[in-house]
Amino acid sequence: MNLYTRTGDKGKTSIIGGRVDKDDLRVEAYGTIDEVNSFTGLAMTWMIDETLKDMKQEFEKIQHELFDCGSDLAVIHGKQKHPYKTTPDMIEFLETRIDAYTAEAPPLERFILPGGTEVAAAIHVARTVARRAERCIVSLKKETEINEHVLTYMNRLSDYFFAAARAANARLGSKDVEYERSAIVFTKKKES
């Protein structure tokens, strides 16, 4: 198999259901998800401490799910032969893990700077690229129908990465760095 096909030399690429320009919003959206996947893999290379083993396993699961999201966006709506791959249970898993990771980290009152440990910094990069992917998907959604679960998944994933970065710092004994000019923007929920 050749890695080069020459079919894209004129600025077009194939998607499920046709060919589009390489700068098409659909290609931009799933291409940005591919970037998220790459940064997720990079973050995993920093997860060498035993306390991050479960997180590393989750990140690998997420890498597969990011392929699912990209696959769903690479289909012209109505031309898919199989059901979409991105489902509500994938979103529910992220929500469960967000809650668990949030409980591991100290209470949050102010905005924090991306960083702390190397692994947390890498996770924050994945988080910000996930937010960009989400913005690309919103632009695509204005033009055509998409699997709405992909948009929700990407929104939740960036929250997941934020919580995971904070949990990684906590597990590794590093404090989050608060943005020094931030007012108190997060308040603790009162027990009822």
Side-chain angles (χ1 to χ4, degrees):
M1 174 184 148
N2 286 341
L3 288 180
Y4 57 91
T5 62
R6 298 188 174 101
T7 59
D9 290 352
K10 302 288 186 204
K12 298 274 188 185
T13 190
S14 294
I15 60 172
I16 301 168
R19 285 183 67 76
V20 296
D21 291 332
K22 288 189 174 186
D23 64 352
D24 185 272
L25 284 176
R26 182 178 305 282
V27 178
E28 187 65 30
Y30 71 68
T32 307
I33 290 173
D34 192 32
E35 288 181 59
V36 176
N37 209 335
S38 295
F39 282 114
T40 302
L42 181 62
M44 290 168 64
T45 67
W46 289 99
M47 295 180 184
I48 54 177
D49 192 277
E50 187 64 28
T51 63
L52 302 175
K53 184 177 179 180
D54 61 325
M55 191 179 290
K56 188 173 185 176
Q57 290 171 342
E58 287 177 15
F59 274 45
E60 185 173 329
K61 174 185 186 311
I62 286 166
Q63 285 191 299
H64 289 280
E65 292 174 348
L66 286 167
F67 260 90
D68 293 339
C69 291
S71 173
D72 285 354
L73 293 182
V75 177
I76 295 175
H77 185 75
K79 298 215 177 185
Q80 74 267 23
K81 295 179 182 177
H82 305 287
Y84 284 125
K85 297 175 182 174
T86 310
T87 60
D89 61 307
M90 294 161 59
I91 297 161
E92 291 169 13
F93 172 80
L94 291 177
E95 290 172 349
T96 299
R97 298 309 301 146
I98 290 166
D99 293 343
Y101 287 143
T102 299
E104 286 187 41
L108 184 65
E109 292 184 342
R110 293 178 170 80
F111 288 117
I112 62 166
L113 302 179
T117 60
E118 291 91 347
V119 67
I123 296 169
H124 277 295
V125 173
R127 173 186 60 79
T128 60
V129 180
R131 282 286 185 219
R132 181 160 44 89
E134 182 185 4
R135 293 190 299 271
C136 291
I137 297 165
V138 168
S139 296
L140 176 62
K141 183 178 177 240
K142 291 176 183 177
E143 283 194 358
T144 188
E145 289 185 57
I146 62 166
N147 176 1
E148 299 273 343
H149 298 308
V150 174
L151 179 57
T152 305
Y153 181 89
M154 294 308 297
N155 178 273
R156 215 63 88 247
L157 181 62
S158 57
D159 294 336
Y160 168 89
F161 283 145
F162 181 81
R166 295 195 69 235
N169 275 342
R171 289 180 186 188
L172 297 173
S174 179
K175 290 184 177 181
D176 290 318
V177 179
E178 289 186 343
Y179 170 48
E180 62 188 31
R181 288 180 282 285
S182 175
I184 293 178
V185 291
F186 304 102
T187 56
K188 188 176 179 182
K189 292 180 184 178
K190 293 183 180 181
E191 301 292 324
S192 41

